[in-house]
Amino acid sequence: MKTKKIVAGVAIALAAALMFTGAMFFTACGDDTGNGITRSELSGTVNVTGSTSIQPVMGALADAFMEMYPDVTINISGTGSGQGVTDTQADKNDFGMASRALDAEEIAGGVVSKKIADDGIALVVNTSNTSTTNVTADELYDLYVSDTAIGSVTTAVGREDSSGTRSAFDELVADSDGNALEEATYSSNVVIQNSTGAVMQTVASTSNAIGYISLGSVDDTVKAVSFEGVEPTVANIKNGTYKLARPFNLVLKGTDVESAVADMSAPAQAFYYFIMSPDGQEIIAEDGCISLYL
């Protein structure tokens, strides 16, 4: 998305952001942010840490925002959902990224979440694998727990314990008796990686491997396959037929979203509202995720 297009749509974007969040930051016209700071004066650094699944789309959002506000620097660090939560609790970032819902213990630690999009979890195999086009939950469970091959696929690639992608995958995948992966222990033969990129690299270099990554991260280095006979597409996630899906959340320090945003620095507030605006949500959709209202 080009800067001129974003600037031209600021009035609409910010009006929608106000309706969506119930808080005032920007004005609908002029060069005033609503906090007495003009766009030319807005400056500072925003630090965002957490989910490597959200990192690519957050980077795209940051790039577009920094084109509008050249005196603002946004640093995005992919450290995993769990670390994003603990960083937010410890005031080590402006807000975190979690590709899963927060649990009760995390919320008790003084953070809340705000969904910015939904995302599918894509099952990916090596591009040379022409025989594997569909897998079932039962097959995945048996591979990750008992090393049972799925046709030519004999190597399972997974994520570390703190990964939001793993948390969602383990919750959603169960065997025919209803036993979910979250209640089981991965086989010692599962190759554990600590980022989306590392999973993709392993699958891309291993002809008999399968792994799971964010749908928005799928590129031509790997091949996505169907799950339970349904292709991993945005349309199928929206209509509810593709079952491997999870939320993309921001993690905010506070007891409720409104007060948490109110306590942010001016550039962090501005970036938050941009993410929630139609322009921000369009970037999210263009990046392969499922926007909240586009």
Side-chain angles (χ1 to χ4, degrees), residues 256-281:
D256 63 84
V257 172
E258 185 174 351
S259 63
V261 175
D263 288 340
M264 289 180 180
S265 68
Q269 284 183 352
F271 186 43
Y272 170 87
Y273 285 121
F274 176 69
I275 293 169
M276 303 306 297
S277 75
D279 279 327
Q281 289 290 306

Side-chain angles (χ1 to χ4, degrees), residues 124-260:
V124 292
V125 298
N126 189 276
T127 55
S128 67
N129 184 342
T130 58
S131 61
T132 304
T133 58
N134 177 70
V135 296
T136 67
D138 204 36
E139 289 173 331
L140 287 171
Y141 184 96
D142 288 344
L143 174 64
Y144 278 82
V145 174
S146 305
D147 298 320
T148 304
I150 305 173
S152 63
V153 174
T154 58
T155 299
V157 185
R159 290 292 304 276
E160 77 284 4
D161 288 339
S162 64
S163 163
T165 308
R166 173 168 176 170
S167 177
F169 179 79
D170 288 359
E171 178 183 346
L172 294 167
V173 173
D175 68 7
S176 56
D177 294 323
N179 300 307
L181 274 175
E182 65 178 347
E183 301 164 349
T185 301
Y186 277 12
S187 162
S188 60
N189 292 319
V190 175
V191 179
I192 301 298
Q193 298 291 6
N194 62 4
S195 70
T196 298
V199 172
M200 295 175 69
Q201 290 173 4
T202 301
V203 172
S205 61
T206 309
S207 62
N208 62 344
I210 191 169
Y212 50 85
I213 63 172
S214 167
L215 177 61
S217 297
V218 175
D219 61 21
D220 59 8
T221 65
V222 292
K223 183 181 76 170
V225 299
S226 296
F227 176 67
E228 300 286 0
V230 181
E231 293 182 6
T233 65
V234 169
N236 287 339
I237 293 169
K238 284 184 174 181
N239 65 32
T241 57
Y242 187 78
K243 301 301 184 181
L244 293 182
R246 43 68 186 274
F248 273 1
N249 289 320
L250 300 183
V251 185
L252 314 174
K253 181 70 173 290
T255 57
D256 63 84
V257 172
E258 185 174 351
S259 63

